[in-house]
């Protein structure tokens, strides 16, 4: 199970870098005399790599408008420009687009022509980070696999905007202006294959409602969350990586078994207000509790199995799996208690 999870996540994080690295190598190594082969249908403001004919580079050109996109283009790079509008005209012939990067422009919701995005039927990746959006744009292409909207001004998510995005695996909304009221019980309805949801650096005070059940990674850092509801994670039974750093969690805000969840392998609770280590599951591998208010550590109390069972290492299948424990920035004085090492026999690093 762990191997499958890590394999899926590796594909999710590395898919972008593979294409980018390949194209940049072509860009650097190509003889300029070969460029003319595609110049007949390459917008003069852009660069068309001859050895990667499906890509069009129009990034960092000071563009205010999107140029006409040739029919052969699959990968379109328009980041770092001054583009304010996304209209249908440039995309009339671009029926094969898979990837659009519009990061770091000046696009507003009113600047996106109605229906222009949903008409890009083959689009898989849409990047609109660092723009001027105030709400999630709609409607969106039904085949999208990644939607990146970080660092905008989004405070509203239109009803049903994600309802047809069954293929979406990554949704990035971090560093926007989302309040609890923006995340209703049906906000994420339809995201049946979502693997990563990033809502970090918003203005949430509560854990979001109705997270898609297949979510593996949930990032909620830098909010103002105070309470974990009872049995919250039973609705997302596959969650593996959970980040709640820089919130306002206290001991009273965490139920007794709040984080005793067998699916969680990496739990990050740094920079909160905890005075003790919460109960964890034996399957947990990485635990970040630095910069809280913890004064002491008792291995007998925090061990997810009895110390007696832990001592019989190798005889029981529920041996605690913790490999990394971070406790610096608290009020704990070394040395590390012996019962910590007795319990967590697989520990490779303890930061205190």
């Amino acid at each position: 199970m762990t191997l499958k999870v890590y394999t899926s996540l590796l594909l999710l994080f590395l898919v972008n870098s593979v294409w980018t690295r390949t194209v940049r190598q072509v860009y650097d190594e190509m003889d300029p005399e070969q460029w003319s082969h595609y110049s007949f249908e390459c917008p003069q403001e852009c660069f068309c790599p001859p050895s990667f004919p499906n890509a069009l580079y129009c990034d960092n050109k000071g563009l205010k408008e999107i140029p006409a996109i040739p029919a052969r283009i699959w990968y379109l790079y328009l980041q770092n420009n001054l583009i304010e509008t996304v209209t249908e005209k440039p995309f009339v012939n671009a029926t094969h687009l898979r990837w659009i990067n519009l990061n770091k422009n000046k696009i507003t919701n009113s600047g996106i022509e109605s229906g222009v995005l949903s008409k890009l039927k083959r689009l898989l990746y849409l990047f609109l980070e660092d723009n001027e959006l105030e709400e999630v744009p709609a409607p969106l292409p039904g085949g999208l696999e990644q939607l990146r909207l970080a660092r905008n001004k989004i405070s509203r998510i239109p009803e049903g905007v994600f309802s047809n995005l069954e293929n979406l695996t990554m949704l990035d909304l971090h560093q926007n202006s989302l309040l609890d009221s923006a995340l209703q019980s049906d906000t994420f309805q339809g995201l049946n294959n979502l693997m990563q949801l990033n809502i970090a650096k918003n203005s949430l005070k509560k854990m979001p409602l109705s997270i898609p059940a297949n979510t593996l990674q949930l990032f909620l850092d830098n909010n103002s969350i105070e309470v974990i509801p009872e049995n919250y994670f039973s609705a997302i039974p596959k969650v593996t990586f959970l980040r709640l750093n820089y919130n306002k969690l206290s001991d009273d805000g965490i139920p007794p078994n709040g984080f005793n969840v067998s699916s969680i392998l990496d739990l990050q609770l740094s920079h909160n207000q905890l005075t003790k280590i919460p109960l964890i599951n034996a399957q947990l591998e990485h635990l970040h509790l630095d910069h809280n208010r913890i004064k002491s550590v008792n291995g007998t109390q925090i061990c997810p199995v009895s110390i007696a069972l832990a001592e019989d290492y190798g005889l029981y299948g529920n041996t605690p799996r913790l490999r990394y424990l971070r406790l610096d920035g608290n009020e704990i004085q070394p040395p590390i208690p012996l019962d910590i090492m007795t319990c967590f026999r697989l520990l490779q690093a303890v930061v205190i």
Side-chain angles (χ1 to χ4, degrees), residues 2 12 44 103 107 113 134 142 160 167 185-186 188 197 199 203 216 231 241 243 281-282 311:
T2 301
L12 179 66
Q44 63 179 1
N103 292 346
I107 299 169
E113 186 175 338
E134 295 183 351
N167 296 323
S185 59
D186 59 352
F188 301 112
L197 178 59
I199 326 178
S203 300
L216 297 176
N231 300 319
F241 293 83
R243 291 198 335 216
N281 192 272
E311 287 180 325

Side-chain angles (χ1 to χ4, degrees), residues 6 240-242 264-269 280-281 283-289 321-326 347-349:
Y6 278 117
T240 305
F241 293 83
L242 177 62
I264 299 178
L265 303 182
D266 190 298
L267 176 59
Q268 299 190 20
L269 296 168
I280 60 174
N281 192 272
Q283 300 302 313
L284 188 68
E285 296 183 3
H286 295 84
L287 178 59
H288 298 247
L289 285 164
R321 309 297 298 175
L322 195 67
R323 289 168 165 78
Y324 179 88
L325 175 60
R326 184 170 177 183
L347 263 177
Q348 297 174 355

Side-chain angles (χ1 to χ4, degrees), residues 246-259:
Y246 291 96
N247 276 281
K248 297 182 178 180
L249 289 171
S250 64
D251 303 327
D252 293 338
I254 299 176
N257 284 291
F259 294 120

Side-chain angles (χ1 to χ4, degrees), residues 283-300:
Q283 300 302 313
L284 188 68
E285 296 183 3
H286 295 84
L287 178 59
H288 298 247
L289 285 164
D290 54 286
H291 297 91
N292 277 274
R293 301 174 181 175
I294 301 170
K295 295 183 179 180
S296 63
V297 181
N298 186 317
T300 302

Side-chain angles (χ1 to χ4, degrees), residues 12-83:
L12 179 66
F13 281 119
L14 295 185
V15 65
N16 299 337
S17 61
V18 170
W19 280 112
T20 302
R21 183 170 60 252
T22 302
V23 174
R24 285 305 181 191
Q25 287 172 346
V26 170
Y27 187 100
D28 293 338
E29 297 172 5
M30 184 57 53
D31 184 345
E33 293 182 1
Q34 300 178 31
W35 297 351
S36 60
H37 179 69
Y38 289 104
S39 62
F40 68 96
E41 61 171 352
C42 184
Q44 63 179 1
E45 310 96 327
C46 307
F47 169 63
C48 301
S51 293
F52 195 40
N54 298 122
L56 180 62
Y57 280 87
C58 308
D59 51 313
N60 297 287
K61 301 294 184 182
L63 300 180
K64 294 185 178 180
E65 296 180 350
I66 299 174
I69 310 303
R72 61 184 168 81
I73 298 304
W74 288 22
Y75 306 97
L76 177 58
Y77 298 86
L78 289 160
Q79 65 270 28
N80 294 301
N81 281 295
L82 303 171
I83 297 169

